[in-house]
Amino acid sequence: VLDSLLLPTVILPILLRRRDPFAAAVLLAVGCVVSGIPTFDQFRLGVAIPAAMLILYSLATRADRAQAVGGLALLLAGMVFIGFTDVVLEEEGGAAGMVLFSFPLCTGVWIAGRVVRSREQVAARLADRSRLLERQREETAALAVEVERTRLASDLDAATRARVRELIELAASAEQSDGTDPKRLL
């Protein structure tokens, strides 16, 4: 009866894997030990390995490197303890068989999670860079519009000054020729 009551210590850490994957890894490692203490002969392998895979993947994708490595080490230690205490493994090589089976499996899932994490980080950096470039593009476009407005205003001002200058010159020449040109008098 006590064996059955302690088996959830291997299952329940799965509930924490998203919120706090390192704590889930610690609790699963502790659960591997606690669930085996009463008789050291119950079958926990079918529950412990899937739980470890779920927690390892979450740990690798969500935790920083130090916590991820620490959690991996704790879970591998829990797998070794299960290898020494699980009755089913006595026929399959005991702890050595468990190590040969679970270490590559656990490490592979952990590495896959780290690859996913690194790709997500690259994608996040690229998204940030894209937003920055978009803002720069908008600022450059606004600046180009302002430069064009300034150029047009300058051209308009120059054209207006030239036209006013022409009008002043025409008025001045009309004043000078006012009394001397007989055709203008008519």
Side-chain angles (χ1 to χ4, degrees), residues 73-114:
L74 285 171
L75 286 178
L76 292 177
M79 293 297 119
V80 169
F81 187 82
I82 287 177
F84 281 119
T85 60
D86 206 311
V87 288
V88 174
L89 293 174
E90 289 176 4
E91 300 166 4
E92 303 298 327
M98 182 64 169
V99 166
L100 289 174
F101 173 74
S102 67
F103 276 34
L105 184 63
C106 289
T107 306
V109 168
W110 184 84
I111 289 171
R114 292 310 284 179

Side-chain angles (χ1 to χ4, degrees), residues 26-96:
V26 170
L27 289 175
L28 180 60
V30 169
C32 288
V33 174
V34 168
S35 67
I37 288 177
T39 61
F40 290 112
D41 66 350
Q42 64 271 26
F43 176 67
R44 301 178 322 268
L45 183 64
V47 175
I49 289 181
M53 297 304 104
L54 290 170
I55 291 172
L56 277 171
Y57 184 79
S58 293
L59 180 70
T61 57
R62 294 195 164 111
D64 64 358
R65 179 180 285 161
Q67 280 189 339
V69 170
L72 174 64
L74 285 171
L75 286 178
L76 292 177
M79 293 297 119
V80 169
F81 187 82
I82 287 177
F84 281 119
T85 60
D86 206 311
V87 288
V88 174
L89 293 174
E90 289 176 4
E91 300 166 4
E92 303 298 327

Side-chain angles (χ1 to χ4, degrees), residues 106-159:
C106 289
T107 306
V109 168
W110 184 84
I111 289 171
R114 292 310 284 179
V115 168
V116 167
R117 177 182 168 90
S118 69
R119 295 203 183 258
E120 287 174 352
Q121 288 174 337
V122 167
R125 284 194 299 264
L126 286 174
D128 289 343
R129 183 74 175 151
S130 293
R131 282 190 293 276
L132 176 67
L133 288 173
E134 181 65 29
R135 255 187 276 128
Q136 275 185 327
R137 186 180 4 223
E138 289 171 1
E139 289 172 4
T140 302
L143 187 59
V145 167
E146 192 61 35
V147 165
E148 185 63 19
R149 283 182 185 157
T150 303
R151 187 190 65 76
L152 287 173
S154 176
D155 289 350
L156 184 61
D157 184 53

